[in-house]
Amino acid sequence: MIQNVYTIGFYLFITTMVVFFGMYFFGMNTDYFNNSLLLNAFLMPIIYVAGAYISVNSVKRTGVRMGFRDVFGRAFKPMFVGGFLSMITMFLFLNFADPAVKDLLNFQYLERQKTELDAEYNKAKQVMKSPEEIAELEINYQQRKQSFSPEMIKDKDMFNFRQFTYYFAAVLVFYVILSTFFASFFRNKTEL
């Protein structure tokens, strides 16, 4: 079994890139942004959980005693390596190799936000009865709708370096929580 955490991290990177480019080549359509969100929400966590499990289990099966810190490191390092390499590669691809895809994703993101705003407005409008509440809702809706005007969204870029660092920070929180979970359940318990 594989015992090097960096090798497992590289396999996670390769798997992530296969999913990313698979979506790029076969899933680019009017729902590209939504489908990418679904993959990131449901498929990618499963892949990274499997990578962390393989990393921890490959050493655990040899009979080596592992404490909390050992298991945490064995779970966190491959996910960090795979995630870091993946984020850098995606950033470089979207910003330099094919900026048209970045523009498409930005456009679809903004369209999704507009659609959600309209749905929220229509739902709230049906529930409200008093003219004061309806007037306030209308004012808030118009103000939020102005944030989607061409002048406001002209330089909006959800895939610049700053946004990628925010995304990676959020992913790191997931890695820490998952590693803590693995460390809590897979560590060798000492008897009192």
Side-chain angles (χ1 to χ4, degrees):
M1 199 71 186
I2 303 168
Q3 292 191 8
N4 187 335
V5 292
Y6 302 107
T7 303
I8 296 169
F10 187 73
Y11 286 147
L12 286 174
F13 163 66
I14 295 297
T15 305
T16 304
M17 290 295 94
V18 166
V19 171
F20 176 76
F21 285 113
M23 188 66 188
Y24 173 75
F25 288 115
F26 302 113
M28 191 175 303
N29 56 27
T30 56
D31 290 326
Y32 185 50
F33 180 80
N34 292 333
N35 293 338
S36 296
L37 280 180
L38 290 173
L39 283 176
N40 285 322
F42 297 107
L43 179 63
M44 296 314 297
I46 292 170
I47 290 170
Y48 278 76
V49 165
Y53 178 77
I54 289 168
S55 177
V56 170
N57 195 43
S58 65
V59 173
K60 193 81 167 152
R61 293 179 89 197
T62 63
V64 174
R65 294 189 57 78
M66 297 172 64
F68 184 90
R69 180 185 288 172
D70 301 321
V71 176
F72 184 90
R74 292 277 321 166
F76 182 80
K77 287 176 188 174
M79 291 188 295
F80 178 82
V81 169
F84 180 75
L85 292 174
S86 299
M87 287 286 189
I88 293 294
T89 304
M90 285 183 232
F91 170 77
L92 293 173
F93 181 79
L94 291 174
N95 284 284
F96 300 108
D98 195 353
V101 173
K102 181 177 83 164
D103 294 339
L104 174 66
L105 288 170
N106 278 321
F107 174 77
Q108 289 182 354
Y109 168 76
L110 291 171
E111 287 301 310
R112 178 186 168 125
Q113 295 299 316
K114 288 180 195 176
T115 303
E116 288 176 359
L117 174 64
D118 291 340
E120 182 181 310
Y121 166 74
N122 291 327
K123 185 177 179 181
K125 193 174 182 181
Q126 292 174 353
V127 175
M128 294 186 176
K129 302 282 188 241
S130 72
E132 298 86 21
E133 288 178 335
I134 293 173
E136 183 181 342
L137 174 68
E138 192 67 39
I139 291 169
N140 290 338
Y141 174 69
Q142 292 304 326
Q143 288 174 346
R144 287 186 62 198
K145 198 169 184 177
Q146 287 177 357
S147 67
F148 294 109
S149 68
E151 309 86 47
M152 297 295 287
I153 63 173
K154 179 176 61 170
D155 295 325
K156 194 124 178 140
D157 184 4
M158 296 305 299
F159 300 97
N160 59 24
F161 186 73
R162 177 185 226 168
Q163 292 297 329
F164 266 90
T165 57
Y166 293 154
Y167 300 147
F168 190 59
V171 168
L172 283 177
V173 170
F174 169 73
Y175 296 163
V176 168
I177 291 169
L178 186 62
S179 298
T180 303
F181 171 79
F182 271 92
S184 297
F185 287 98
F186 288 104
R187 66 187 166 93
N188 290 81
K189 296 172 177 60
T190 56
E191 295 186 23
L192 298 175

